[in-house]
mmCIF file of all heavy atoms in Angstrom:
data_model
loop_
_atom_site.group_PDB
_atom_site.id
_atom_site.type_symbol
_atom_site.label_atom_id
_atom_site.label_comp_id
_atom_site.label_asym_id
_atom_site.label_seq_id
_atom_site.Cartn_x
_atom_site.Cartn_y
_atom_site.Cartn_z
ATOM 1 N N ILE A 108 -8.234 20.457 5.816
ATOM 2 C CA ILE A 108 -7.364 19.503 6.553
ATOM 3 C C ILE A 108 -8.006 18.141 6.465
ATOM 4 O O ILE A 108 -9.171 17.964 6.789
ATOM 5 C CB ILE A 108 -7.240 19.929 8.008
ATOM 6 C CG1 ILE A 108 -6.547 21.318 8.080
ATOM 7 C CG2 ILE A 108 -6.447 18.906 8.813
ATOM 8 C CD1 ILE A 108 -6.651 21.990 9.435
ATOM 9 N N THR A 109 -7.237 17.161 6.033
ATOM 10 C CA THR A 109 -7.761 15.760 5.957
ATOM 11 C C THR A 109 -7.746 15.131 7.324
ATOM 12 O O THR A 109 -6.714 15.148 7.997
ATOM 13 C CB THR A 109 -6.882 14.951 4.966
ATOM 14 O OG1 THR A 109 -6.849 15.629 3.688
ATOM 15 C CG2 THR A 109 -7.436 13.548 4.803
ATOM 16 N N VAL A 110 -8.848 14.543 7.690
ATOM 17 C CA VAL A 110 -8.984 13.903 8.968
ATOM 18 C C VAL A 110 -8.935 12.365 8.780
ATOM 19 O O VAL A 110 -9.702 11.779 8.013
ATOM 20 C CB VAL A 110 -10.302 14.258 9.696
ATOM 21 C CG1 VAL A 110 -10.417 13.512 11.007
ATOM 22 C CG2 VAL A 110 -10.327 15.789 9.944
ATOM 23 N N HIS A 111 -8.017 11.727 9.506
ATOM 24 C CA HIS A 111 -7.911 10.252 9.471
ATOM 25 C C HIS A 111 -8.250 9.773 10.905
ATOM 26 O O HIS A 111 -7.563 10.051 11.852
ATOM 27 C CB HIS A 111 -6.494 9.803 9.168
ATOM 28 C CG HIS A 111 -6.046 10.163 7.760
ATOM 29 N ND1 HIS A 111 -6.225 9.338 6.665
ATOM 30 C CD2 HIS A 111 -5.436 11.279 7.267
ATOM 31 C CE1 HIS A 111 -5.751 9.907 5.608
ATOM 32 N NE2 HIS A 111 -5.288 11.085 5.915
ATOM 33 N N MET A 112 -9.405 9.082 10.991
ATOM 34 C CA MET A 112 -9.836 8.580 12.309
ATOM 35 C C MET A 112 -9.264 7.162 12.511
ATOM 36 O O MET A 112 -9.429 6.287 11.669
ATOM 37 C CB MET A 112 -11.356 8.531 12.406
ATOM 38 C CG MET A 112 -12.027 9.894 12.277
ATOM 39 S SD MET A 112 -11.531 11.064 13.591
ATOM 40 C CE MET A 112 -12.134 10.240 15.048
ATOM 41 N N GLY A 113 -8.555 6.975 13.652
ATOM 42 C CA GLY A 113 -7.962 5.703 13.975
ATOM 43 C C GLY A 113 -6.759 5.846 14.868
ATOM 44 O O GLY A 113 -6.368 6.974 15.262
ATOM 45 N N GLU A 114 -6.164 4.752 15.203
ATOM 46 C CA GLU A 114 -4.960 4.712 16.059
ATOM 47 C C GLU A 114 -3.720 4.936 15.205
ATOM 48 O O GLU A 114 -3.451 4.221 14.276
ATOM 49 C CB GLU A 114 -4.825 3.337 16.747
ATOM 50 C CG GLU A 114 -5.852 3.078 17.828
ATOM 51 C CD GLU A 114 -5.436 3.587 19.182
ATOM 52 O OE1 GLU A 114 -4.275 4.126 19.294
ATOM 53 O OE2 GLU A 114 -6.220 3.528 20.162
ATOM 54 N N GLY A 115 -2.998 5.997 15.535
ATOM 55 C CA GLY A 115 -1.766 6.314 14.814
ATOM 56 C C GLY A 115 -0.553 5.729 15.504
ATOM 57 O O GLY A 115 -0.443 5.758 16.730
ATOM 58 N N ARG A 116 0.355 5.234 14.717
ATOM 59 C CA ARG A 116 1.615 4.705 15.257
ATOM 60 C C ARG A 116 2.749 5.023 14.289
ATOM 61 O O ARG A 116 2.677 4.748 13.091
ATOM 62 C CB ARG A 116 1.527 3.183 15.474
ATOM 63 C CG ARG A 116 2.812 2.580 16.025
ATOM 64 C CD ARG A 116 2.664 1.074 16.247
ATOM 65 N NE ARG A 116 3.921 0.522 16.672
ATOM 66 C CZ ARG A 116 4.361 0.478 17.958
ATOM 67 N NH1 ARG A 116 3.598 0.988 18.925
ATOM 68 N NH2 ARG A 116 5.560 -0.048 18.271
ATOM 69 N N MET A 117 3.840 5.630 14.806
ATOM 70 C CA MET A 117 4.951 5.987 13.973
ATOM 71 C C MET A 117 5.683 4.756 13.466
ATOM 72 O O MET A 117 5.916 3.793 14.242
ATOM 73 C CB MET A 117 5.938 6.887 14.797
ATOM 74 C CG MET A 117 5.337 8.124 15.361
ATOM 75 S SD MET A 117 4.745 9.286 14.104
ATOM 76 C CE MET A 117 6.251 9.688 13.258
ATOM 77 N N THR A 118 6.010 4.784 12.202
ATOM 78 C CA THR A 118 6.800 3.697 11.604
ATOM 79 C C THR A 118 8.182 4.216 11.162
ATOM 80 O O THR A 118 8.956 3.433 10.633
ATOM 81 C CB THR A 118 6.037 3.130 10.382
ATOM 82 O OG1 THR A 118 5.715 4.166 9.473
ATOM 83 C CG2 THR A 118 4.775 2.389 10.848
ATOM 84 N N GLY A 119 8.404 5.488 11.253
ATOM 85 C CA GLY A 119 9.679 6.101 10.944
ATOM 86 C C GLY A 119 9.637 7.557 11.454
ATOM 87 O O GLY A 119 8.626 7.953 12.035
ATOM 88 N N PRO A 120 10.670 8.331 11.220
ATOM 89 C CA PRO A 120 10.726 9.691 11.709
ATOM 90 C C PRO A 120 9.527 10.564 11.291
ATOM 91 O O PRO A 120 9.086 11.406 12.069
ATOM 92 C CB PRO A 120 12.017 10.262 11.191
ATOM 93 C CG PRO A 120 12.865 9.030 10.990
ATOM 94 C CD PRO A 120 11.948 7.965 10.556
ATOM 95 N N THR A 121 9.080 10.345 10.066
ATOM 96 C CA THR A 121 7.959 11.183 9.562
ATOM 97 C C THR A 121 6.901 10.314 8.818
ATOM 98 O O THR A 121 6.288 10.771 7.888
ATOM 99 C CB THR A 121 8.474 12.289 8.644
ATOM 100 O OG1 THR A 121 9.212 11.710 7.576
ATOM 101 C CG2 THR A 121 9.336 13.281 9.437
ATOM 102 N N SER A 122 6.792 9.135 9.215
ATOM 103 C CA SER A 122 5.750 8.230 8.618
ATOM 104 C C SER A 122 5.023 7.506 9.704
ATOM 105 O O SER A 122 5.553 7.223 10.805
ATOM 106 C CB SER A 122 6.402 7.224 7.648
ATOM 107 O OG SER A 122 7.333 6.416 8.301
ATOM 108 N N LEU A 123 3.775 7.116 9.413
ATOM 109 C CA LEU A 123 2.969 6.406 10.408
ATOM 110 C C LEU A 123 1.888 5.599 9.738
ATOM 111 O O LEU A 123 1.547 5.808 8.571
ATOM 112 C CB LEU A 123 2.370 7.367 11.430
ATOM 113 C CG LEU A 123 1.373 8.413 10.942
ATOM 114 C CD1 LEU A 123 0.398 8.746 12.084
ATOM 115 C CD2 LEU A 123 2.041 9.680 10.456
ATOM 116 N N THR A 124 1.323 4.689 10.511
ATOM 117 C CA THR A 124 0.138 3.965 10.086
ATOM 118 C C THR A 124 -1.026 4.384 10.924
ATOM 119 O O THR A 124 -0.863 4.730 12.079
ATOM 120 C CB THR A 124 0.331 2.434 10.218
ATOM 121 O OG1 THR A 124 0.592 2.105 11.583
ATOM 122 C CG2 THR A 124 1.479 1.951 9.359
ATOM 123 N N VAL A 125 -2.214 4.330 10.340
ATOM 124 C CA VAL A 125 -3.428 4.590 11.038
ATOM 125 C C VAL A 125 -4.342 3.388 10.924
ATOM 126 O O VAL A 125 -4.697 2.947 9.833
ATOM 127 C CB VAL A 125 -4.149 5.844 10.457
ATOM 128 C CG1 VAL A 125 -5.438 6.126 11.230
ATOM 129 C CG2 VAL A 125 -3.249 7.051 10.482
ATOM 130 N N THR A 126 -4.674 2.801 12.095
ATOM 131 C CA THR A 126 -5.470 1.586 12.131
ATOM 132 C C THR A 126 -6.851 1.872 12.662
ATOM 133 O O THR A 126 -7.002 2.499 13.703
ATOM 134 C CB THR A 126 -4.804 0.529 12.999
ATOM 135 O OG1 THR A 126 -3.446 0.266 12.519
ATOM 136 C CG2 THR A 126 -5.558 -0.794 12.979
ATOM 137 N N SER A 127 -7.863 1.463 11.927
ATOM 138 C CA SER A 127 -9.236 1.625 12.343
ATOM 139 C C SER A 127 -10.037 0.406 11.953
ATOM 140 O O SER A 127 -9.488 -0.533 11.404
ATOM 141 C CB SER A 127 -9.836 2.870 11.688
ATOM 142 O OG SER A 127 -9.965 2.702 10.315
ATOM 143 N N ASP A 128 -11.342 0.446 12.225
ATOM 144 C CA ASP A 128 -12.155 -0.732 11.837
ATOM 145 C C ASP A 128 -12.279 -0.858 10.304
ATOM 146 O O ASP A 128 -12.789 -1.849 9.803
ATOM 147 C CB ASP A 128 -13.550 -0.641 12.470
ATOM 148 C CG ASP A 128 -14.257 0.690 12.180
ATOM 149 O OD1 ASP A 128 -13.760 1.471 11.350
ATOM 150 O OD2 ASP A 128 -15.277 0.921 12.808
ATOM 151 N N LYS A 129 -11.802 0.182 9.588
ATOM 152 C CA LYS A 129 -11.828 0.115 8.125
ATOM 153 C C LYS A 129 -10.544 -0.484 7.578
ATOM 154 O O LYS A 129 -10.427 -0.679 6.339
ATOM 155 C CB LYS A 129 -12.054 1.536 7.573
ATOM 156 C CG LYS A 129 -13.377 2.153 7.957
ATOM 157 C CD LYS A 129 -13.509 3.537 7.345
ATOM 158 C CE LYS A 129 -14.847 4.167 7.738
ATOM 159 N NZ LYS A 129 -14.973 5.530 7.196
ATOM 160 N N GLY A 130 -9.586 -0.719 8.451
ATOM 161 C CA GLY A 130 -8.297 -1.256 7.986
ATOM 162 C C GLY A 130 -7.130 -0.406 8.379
ATOM 163 O O GLY A 130 -7.179 0.343 9.370
ATOM 164 N N GLU A 131 -6.063 -0.488 7.585
ATOM 165 C CA GLU A 131 -4.827 0.240 7.882
ATOM 166 C C GLU A 131 -4.453 1.159 6.738
ATOM 167 O O GLU A 131 -4.525 0.778 5.571
ATOM 168 C CB GLU A 131 -3.705 -0.728 8.151
ATOM 169 C CG GLU A 131 -2.386 -0.101 8.580
ATOM 170 C CD GLU A 131 -1.324 -1.116 8.883
ATOM 171 O OE1 GLU A 131 -1.343 -1.705 9.997
ATOM 172 O OE2 GLU A 131 -0.427 -1.321 8.009
ATOM 173 N N GLU A 132 -4.113 2.395 7.098
ATOM 174 C CA GLU A 132 -3.601 3.390 6.122
ATOM 175 C C GLU A 132 -2.162 3.704 6.433
ATOM 176 O O GLU A 132 -1.737 3.700 7.559
ATOM 177 C CB GLU A 132 -4.387 4.699 6.201
ATOM 178 C CG GLU A 132 -5.880 4.604 5.900
ATOM 179 C CD GLU A 132 -6.527 5.957 6.054
ATOM 180 O OE1 GLU A 132 -6.919 6.269 7.198
ATOM 181 O OE2 GLU A 132 -6.647 6.711 5.061
ATOM 182 N N LYS A 133 -1.379 3.985 5.383
ATOM 183 C CA LYS A 133 0.016 4.418 5.570
ATOM 184 C C LYS A 133 0.124 5.902 5.137
ATOM 185 O O LYS A 133 -0.320 6.245 4.024
ATOM 186 C CB LYS A 133 0.949 3.562 4.711
ATOM 187 C CG LYS A 133 1.038 2.120 5.169
ATOM 188 C CD LYS A 133 2.047 1.349 4.347
ATOM 189 C CE LYS A 133 2.164 -0.112 4.817
ATOM 190 N NZ LYS A 133 3.167 -0.852 4.009
ATOM 191 N N LEU A 134 0.640 6.680 6.014
ATOM 192 C CA LEU A 134 0.767 8.131 5.798
ATOM 193 C C LEU A 134 2.247 8.548 5.900
ATOM 194 O O LEU A 134 2.960 8.019 6.742
ATOM 195 C CB LEU A 134 -0.061 8.932 6.764
ATOM 196 C CG LEU A 134 -1.520 8.576 6.944
ATOM 197 C CD1 LEU A 134 -2.196 9.487 7.990
ATOM 198 C CD2 LEU A 134 -2.270 8.627 5.629
ATOM 199 N N GLY A 135 2.625 9.484 5.098
ATOM 200 C CA GLY A 135 3.949 10.052 5.192
ATOM 201 C C GLY A 135 3.928 11.566 5.103
ATOM 202 O O GLY A 135 2.960 12.153 4.580
ATOM 203 N N ALA A 136 4.949 12.227 5.629
ATOM 204 C CA ALA A 136 4.939 13.693 5.572
ATOM 205 C C ALA A 136 6.385 14.179 5.708
ATOM 206 O O ALA A 136 7.313 13.452 6.037
ATOM 207 C CB ALA A 136 4.128 14.243 6.751
ATOM 208 N N LYS A 137 6.549 15.459 5.379
ATOM 209 C CA LYS A 137 7.818 16.122 5.596
ATOM 210 C C LYS A 137 8.089 16.358 7.079
ATOM 211 O O LYS A 137 9.213 16.356 7.566
ATOM 212 C CB LYS A 137 7.870 17.436 4.810
ATOM 213 C CG LYS A 137 7.787 17.235 3.286
ATOM 214 C CD LYS A 137 7.588 18.537 2.578
ATOM 215 C CE LYS A 137 7.337 18.288 1.070
ATOM 216 N NZ LYS A 137 7.055 19.556 0.380
ATOM 217 N N HIS A 138 6.942 16.638 7.798
ATOM 218 C CA HIS A 138 7.047 16.858 9.258
ATOM 219 C C HIS A 138 5.837 16.211 9.949
ATOM 220 O O HIS A 138 4.738 16.187 9.396
ATOM 221 C CB HIS A 138 7.040 18.358 9.569
ATOM 222 C CG HIS A 138 8.260 19.072 9.029
ATOM 223 N ND1 HIS A 138 9.387 19.269 9.762
ATOM 224 C CD2 HIS A 138 8.486 19.632 7.821
ATOM 225 C CE1 HIS A 138 10.260 19.932 9.045
ATOM 226 N NE2 HIS A 138 9.752 20.148 7.852
ATOM 227 N N VAL A 139 6.078 15.724 11.156
ATOM 228 C CA VAL A 139 5.026 15.179 11.998
ATOM 229 C C VAL A 139 5.009 15.867 13.356
ATOM 230 O O VAL A 139 6.077 16.045 13.946
ATOM 231 C CB VAL A 139 5.141 13.640 12.194
ATOM 232 C CG1 VAL A 139 4.187 13.145 13.214
ATOM 233 C CG2 VAL A 139 4.992 12.920 10.883
ATOM 234 N N ILE A 140 3.824 16.274 13.803
ATOM 235 C CA ILE A 140 3.705 16.869 15.149
ATOM 236 C C ILE A 140 2.990 15.899 16.040
ATOM 237 O O ILE A 140 1.862 15.481 15.780
ATOM 238 C CB ILE A 140 2.917 18.188 15.088
ATOM 239 C CG1 ILE A 140 3.603 19.195 14.160
ATOM 240 C CG2 ILE A 140 2.754 18.749 16.489
ATOM 241 C CD1 ILE A 140 2.811 20.490 13.955
ATOM 242 N N LEU A 141 3.653 15.502 17.122
ATOM 243 C CA LEU A 141 3.026 14.630 18.115
ATOM 244 C C LEU A 141 2.255 15.492 19.112
ATOM 245 O O LEU A 141 2.780 16.352 19.790
ATOM 246 C CB LEU A 141 4.077 13.835 18.879
ATOM 247 C CG LEU A 141 5.011 12.956 18.016
ATOM 248 C CD1 LEU A 141 6.134 12.387 18.886
ATOM 249 C CD2 LEU A 141 4.199 11.810 17.401
ATOM 250 N N ALA A 142 0.929 15.229 19.146
ATOM 251 C CA ALA A 142 0.050 15.985 20.056
ATOM 252 C C ALA A 142 -0.902 14.992 20.729
ATOM 253 O O ALA A 142 -2.122 15.160 20.706
ATOM 254 C CB ALA A 142 -0.721 17.044 19.302
ATOM 255 N N THR A 143 -0.313 13.993 21.354
ATOM 256 C CA THR A 143 -1.095 12.828 21.811
ATOM 257 C C THR A 143 -1.671 13.021 23.246
ATOM 258 O O THR A 143 -2.409 12.190 23.706
ATOM 259 C CB THR A 143 -0.201 11.587 21.832
ATOM 260 O OG1 THR A 143 1.049 11.867 22.534
ATOM 261 C CG2 THR A 143 0.146 11.165 20.411
ATOM 262 N N GLY A 144 -1.331 14.130 23.878
ATOM 263 C CA GLY A 144 -1.981 14.458 25.175
ATOM 264 C C GLY A 144 -1.611 13.555 26.329
ATOM 265 O O GLY A 144 -0.524 12.933 26.345
ATOM 266 N N ALA A 145 -2.524 13.455 27.277
ATOM 267 C CA ALA A 145 -2.261 12.689 28.493
ATOM 268 C C ALA A 145 -3.585 12.176 29.032
ATOM 269 O O ALA A 145 -4.679 12.533 28.572
ATOM 270 C CB ALA A 145 -1.538 13.586 29.523
ATOM 271 N N ARG A 146 -3.462 11.347 30.058
ATOM 272 C CA ARG A 146 -4.667 10.771 30.697
ATOM 273 C C ARG A 146 -4.473 10.825 32.203
ATOM 274 O O ARG A 146 -3.400 11.097 32.708
ATOM 275 C CB ARG A 146 -4.841 9.312 30.287
ATOM 276 C CG ARG A 146 -3.676 8.401 30.631
ATOM 277 C CD ARG A 146 -3.810 7.027 30.001
ATOM 278 N NE ARG A 146 -2.721 6.121 30.417
ATOM 279 C CZ ARG A 146 -1.504 6.094 29.904
ATOM 280 N NH1 ARG A 146 -1.195 6.914 28.906
ATOM 281 N NH2 ARG A 146 -0.625 5.223 30.327
#
Side-chain angles (χ1 to χ4, degrees):
I108 297 165
T109 304
V110 177
H111 296 269
M112 297 300 296
E114 289 273 356
R116 181 179 175 85
M117 302 298 297
T118 55
T121 57
S122 61
L123 64 152
T124 59
V125 181
T126 304
S127 68
D128 54 9
K129 296 180 181 179
E131 185 178 281
E132 297 178 275
K133 292 183 179 181
L134 309 180
K137 297 170 185 174
H138 296 268
V139 172
I140 301 174
L141 302 172
T143 52
R146 61 189 185 277

